[in-house]
Amino acid sequence: MGGFVAVYNYLGFHLEAPPFLLPASLVSLLFLAYLSGTATSRMAGGLSVRFGRLPVLLAAVPVILAGLGVTLAGSIPLVVLGLVIFTGGFFAAHSVASGWTPVLASAGRAQASGLYNFAYYAGSSLLGWLGGLFFGQFGWPGVAGFTGTLAVVAGLLAVVGLRGAPGSAPPARRTA
């Protein structure tokens, strides 16, 4: 979430600067890319039932990275497309992770969800701010690299920490 916030915090500044020089009124429309998350969240839920949560969560990481890569283009339509792809990948991962948290808790499922949300928003505040330091030092490529690194680290932590966890694999098929 911290990388997601950094992308949405600083992409507008990138697009308001040369070579794009977009007015703030147009840059504010970038938030319409959130709509891609409505589709991918639902899709991720269905795919999780079919393939298991961990494969779907991990599949979202390259989508996030691809979207970030496309935002590095020098073309406004490509930057917007990259943002839509990035946002879709993020919400796919988030929907799997947030739905999986209470399943993983052996006790205190509501508290586990609460702790997930606390970490989610605390991370968004801290890492979203930290992304600004990358923007200030390295411009938009710095934010994209920072966010991509966060996505890779999250994927690696998921592989290490969630392999074999309940719901990580698809349910066994019944044979008649």
Side-chain angles (χ1 to χ4, degrees):
M1 177 62 173
F4 180 79
V5 168
V7 165
Y8 273 89
N9 279 352
Y10 301 106
L11 183 60
F13 294 122
H14 173 58
L15 292 175
E16 288 177 349
F20 303 110
L21 298 172
L22 289 179
S25 58
L26 281 179
V27 169
S28 66
L29 295 175
L30 290 175
F31 287 92
L32 291 173
Y34 269 64
L35 293 172
S36 68
T38 60
T40 60
S41 294
R42 181 162 167 40
M43 189 183 325
L47 291 171
S48 292
V49 171
R50 186 171 178 191
F51 298 107
R53 289 181 172 101
L54 186 58
V56 176
L57 180 64
L58 295 177
V61 173
V63 174
I64 290 168
L65 295 174
L68 285 170
V70 176
T71 66
L72 295 169
S75 157
I76 293 170
L78 285 176
V79 172
V80 171
L81 176 64
L83 182 64
V84 168
I85 293 167
F86 166 80
T87 302
F90 168 78
F91 277 110
H94 169 57
S95 67
V96 171
S98 64
W100 201 359
T101 300
V103 172
L104 294 172
S106 56
R109 293 180 193 275
Q111 289 84 352
S113 288
L115 286 172
Y116 173 89
N117 284 321
F118 173 76
Y120 179 82
Y121 288 109
S124 72
S125 298
L126 177 62
L127 297 173
W129 168 82
L130 187 59
L133 298 179
F134 283 86
F135 185 74
Q137 187 68 32
F138 306 107
W140 179 248
V143 176
F146 169 70
T147 302
T149 300
L150 291 174
V152 169
V153 168
L156 291 172
L157 288 172
V159 167
V160 170
L162 297 171
R163 192 176 331 166
S168 62
R173 294 183 183 219
R174 293 184 179 167
T175 56

